[in-house]
């Protein structure tokens, strides 16, 4: 069965973006090394994120970082997106016969490679609440933001993790890999 994996860049105090959504704090560092991203990306079969995160990355004008991977976007309604990309909508509304979590579980059951959960703090919290994240790769940037968007917000359930790998880099970044511990 496929796994759901996270790969996120965070500040020392756990923020992924500033209050206005700005991620400029990581630009100084992120281009210096690969930080295990190529190995991570090689295990991924598709990407899953929510509409808000999709809109955010589009607004920054960054190059499309997901290659030709199928991308599932959780959204309350359909929307226009570039036809050159393999984007599929998972509806999150009352009219759908399945909850979006049930639809994600169905995707997991297909097997194949793993799924990269690349959403915002609310989506990550929802997946933590459902205990659906299997692995975290955290790239910790040596800066404190003091405020902003945390990695996960609103998760009321404890999840336990085992450190499976770590690597330090000359620029002060630390890569931490965690695997879920089943209780």
């Amino acid at each position: 069965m496929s796994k759901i994996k996270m790969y996120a860049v965070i500040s020392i105090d756990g923020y992924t973006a500033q209050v206005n959504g700005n991620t400029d704090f990581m630009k100084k560092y992120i281009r210096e090394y690969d930080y295990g991203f190529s190995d991570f990306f090689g295990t991924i079969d598709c990407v899953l994120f929510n509409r808000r995160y999709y809109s955010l990355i589009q607004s920054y004008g960054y190059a499309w970082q997901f290659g030709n991977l199928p991308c599932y976007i959780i959204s309350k309604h359909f929307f226009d997106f570039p036809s050159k990309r393999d984007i599929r909508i998972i509806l999150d509304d009352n009219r759908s016969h399945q909850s979006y979590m049930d639809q994600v579980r169905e995707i997991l059951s297909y097997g194949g490679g793993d799924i990269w959960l690349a959403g915002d703090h609310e989506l990550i919290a929802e997946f933590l609440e459902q205990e659906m994240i299997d692995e975290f790769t955290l790239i910790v940037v040596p800066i404190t933001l003091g405020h902003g968007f945390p990695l996960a917000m609103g998760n009321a359930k404890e999840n336990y993790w085992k450190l499976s790998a770590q690597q330090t880099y000359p620029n002060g970044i630390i890569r931490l890999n965690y695997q879920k511990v089943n209780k």
Side-chain angles (χ1 to χ4, degrees):
M1 186 174 203
S2 298
K3 296 178 184 176
I4 295 181
K5 298 179 175 182
M6 278 288 311
Y7 185 100
V9 178
I10 63 171
S11 64
I12 289 174
D13 51 351
Y15 294 105
T16 59
Q18 295 170 326
V19 171
N20 62 1
N22 189 309
T23 59
D24 286 345
F25 73 93
M26 64 179 74
K27 285 183 182 177
K28 173 183 174 185
Y29 300 95
I30 210 65
R31 293 189 177 103
E32 292 183 51
Y33 299 94
D34 180 65
Y35 304 112
F37 183 76
S38 295
D39 291 338
F40 171 85
F41 197 73
T43 68
I44 300 302
D45 196 39
C46 66
V47 183
L48 174 67
F49 43 102
N50 54 358
R51 170 72 190 272
R52 185 175 353 177
Y53 186 76
Y54 174 78
S55 297
L56 183 68
I57 59 176
Q58 294 302 323
S59 71
Y60 288 154
Y62 293 151
W64 186 248
Q65 61 183 340
F66 308 108
N68 293 323
L69 290 177
C71 294
Y72 292 89
I73 301 175
I74 297 168
S75 179
K76 294 191 183 307
H77 51 81
F78 286 103
F79 60 94
D80 292 328
F81 49 83
S83 60
K84 65 183 176 188
R85 298 189 181 130
D86 188 358
I87 294 177
R88 304 162 192 188
I89 306 297
I90 296 177
L91 282 180
D92 177 24
D93 67 5
N94 296 337
R95 297 170 293 176
S96 180
H97 66 281
Q98 286 183 301
S99 73
Y100 78 85
M101 283 294 189
D102 287 339
Q103 293 176 66
V104 170
R105 286 181 183 96
E106 186 176 318
I107 294 166
L108 281 169
S109 73
Y110 298 155
D114 296 328
I115 297 173
W116 177 10
L117 181 64
D120 66 9
H121 59 284
E122 290 177 356
L123 185 66
I124 294 166
E126 290 174 26
F127 274 75
L128 285 170
E129 185 75 25
Q130 296 292 318
E131 298 182 351
M132 288 184 64
I133 300 175
D134 299 294
E135 294 180 14
F136 268 104
T137 299
L138 300 175
I139 308 304
V140 183
V141 176
I143 186 172
T144 54
L145 297 179
H147 62 283
F149 291 108
L151 178 63
M153 185 168 73
N155 176 35
K157 188 177 240 178
E158 290 181 357
N159 293 261
Y160 296 90
W161 303 90
K162 175 185 175 188
L163 183 65
S164 58
Q166 62 186 354
Q167 183 172 352
T168 58
Y169 295 86
N171 61 1
I173 285 185
I174 301 171
R175 186 184 81 225
L176 303 168
N177 296 81
Y178 289 96
Q179 293 183 335
K180 180 170 56 176
V181 174
N182 294 323
K183 297 190 263 179

